[in-house]
């Protein structure tokens, strides 16, 4: 059995995934969205924000 941190788990499996997105997530999302010329919806959960960050990182070539 391997130990997984929250960063490695699917966001939909996070126990806190339905909580509001963190300030850091919101800030990074707006940075990425600006680079991708996209809008970020208000009221995202932590899990939704994480998934949107992953999408925008792929689109902008940032991250991974």
């Amino acid at each position: 059995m391997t130990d997984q941190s929250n960063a490695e788990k699917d966001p939909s499996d996070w126990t806190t995934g339905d909580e509001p997105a963190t300030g850091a997530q919101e800030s990074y999302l707006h940075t990425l969205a600006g680079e991708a010329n996209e809008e970020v919806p208000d009221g995202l959960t932590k899990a939704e924000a994480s998934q949107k960050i992953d999408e925008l990182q792929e689109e902008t070539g940032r991250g991974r």
Side-chain angles (χ1 to χ4, degrees):
M1 184 167 136
T2 59
D3 183 56
Q4 290 185 329
S5 71
N6 278 351
E8 295 170 342
K9 289 183 183 177
D10 184 319
S12 62
D13 293 334
W14 293 355
T15 57
T16 61
D18 59 348
E19 292 178 5
T22 66
Q25 283 179 310
E26 299 246 349
S27 177
Y28 190 43
L29 266 174
H30 287 285
T31 297
L32 289 171
E35 290 179 12
N37 294 318
E38 287 196 25
E39 296 276 326
V40 177
D42 290 330
L44 293 178
T45 65
K46 286 181 181 179
E48 292 167 336
S50 179
Q51 290 169 333
K52 188 66 176 175
I53 287 169
D54 287 345
E55 289 172 25
L56 291 172
Q57 282 181 326
E58 287 234 357
E59 193 170 321
T60 62
R62 277 185 165 234
R64 305 177 188 178

